Amino acid sequence: MKTRTFVPEKLDVAALAQDAASLSGQWPAASLERLADAAAPEAPASGWPVLQWSLAGEVRQPKGGKAQTWLHLTASGEVALTCQRCLKPVHEAIDIDRWIRFVETEAEAAELDVDSDDDVLALPRHLDARELIEDELLLALPLVPRHEVCPEPLPLADDAEDAEVEERPNPFAILAALKRTGQG
């Protein structure tokens, strides 16, 4: 029997599941452009460790139902994002472990996705697994990256700015003075 060769950029998910096959590999972080765009300027994606990933197909046969196509996706890596407190690079580990169910139509996927904890997608003829993995990595990024404790003290406002604020008269103090002189 001839074994099939699977390519992540043009993956036949149904065939992968039927063969109970798996794929794994690693990619340089810089090769995933949208993920690389999230990098802190001082720590570009070209300096990040490689991203590890794996895909495994599975067909599940529920009792009394039709066969279901599933894809198990795992990925891990480390990214460097900009800390929202100190604006320095913060290194974040990302680990993904997801099961994705594939169904025949977009309508069926939308209907099942509402009720399911698992991701449900319409089964494409060919899936770009690289794009799917990058999407999952992007979704796993922290919304507000920050250090637990910033490595340097947070920058304070310049003393010159503070002095300028102190020199400006308080508009309410001026108003109170006008009010007093108008009553006197």
Side-chain angles (χ1 to χ4, degrees):
M1 183 173 147
K2 185 177 175 183
T3 59
R4 298 185 220 202
T5 303
F6 297 102
V7 179
E9 290 80 9
K10 197 172 183 179
L11 184 62
D12 184 344
V13 177
L16 185 81
Q18 287 172 352
D19 290 358
S22 61
L23 287 172
S24 63
Q26 57 186 23
W27 292 317
S31 71
L32 302 174
E33 292 179 18
R34 293 177 295 145
L35 184 64
D37 285 345
E42 303 87 352
S46 58
W48 297 355
V50 294
L51 301 166
Q52 307 290 329
W53 59 271
S54 71
L55 301 169
E58 181 179 307
V59 174
R60 296 181 187 170
Q61 185 65 50
K63 289 186 180 183
K66 64 180 185 174
Q68 300 174 348
T69 302
W70 288 83
L71 182 69
H72 185 214
L73 180 152
T74 61
S76 63
E78 186 177 301
V79 298
L81 307 171
T82 302
C83 173
Q84 297 301 297
R85 284 190 200 132
C86 67
L87 304 179
K88 301 290 182 199
V90 58
H91 296 274
E92 298 278 352
I94 298 177
D95 289 308
I96 298 167
D97 188 349
R98 293 233 187 352
W99 281 97
I100 302 169
R101 179 178 172 194
F102 287 89
V103 294
E104 297 296 321
T105 64
E106 290 286 342
E108 188 180 358
E111 182 181 321
L112 290 172
D113 198 33
V114 171
D115 299 329
S116 177
D117 290 336
D118 296 307
D119 293 326
V120 182
L121 298 175
L123 185 64
R125 182 174 172 92
H126 295 290
L127 174 74
D128 186 347
R130 183 183 201 86
E131 191 174 295
L132 176 66
I133 292 168
E134 184 176 20
D135 288 346
E136 293 296 333
L137 289 166
L138 287 166
L139 290 170
L141 292 177
L143 291 176
V144 182
R146 59 180 182 233
H147 296 100
E148 288 295 320
V149 176
C150 291
E152 297 177 17
L154 298 178
L156 300 174
D158 291 340
D159 293 333
E161 288 178 15
D162 291 342
E164 184 179 314
V165 170
E166 290 174 14
E167 290 175 13
R168 277 190 246 144
N170 183 334
F172 294 105
I174 295 171
L175 192 58
L178 289 172
K179 196 172 179 183
R180 277 190 296 257
T181 56
Q183 292 177 355

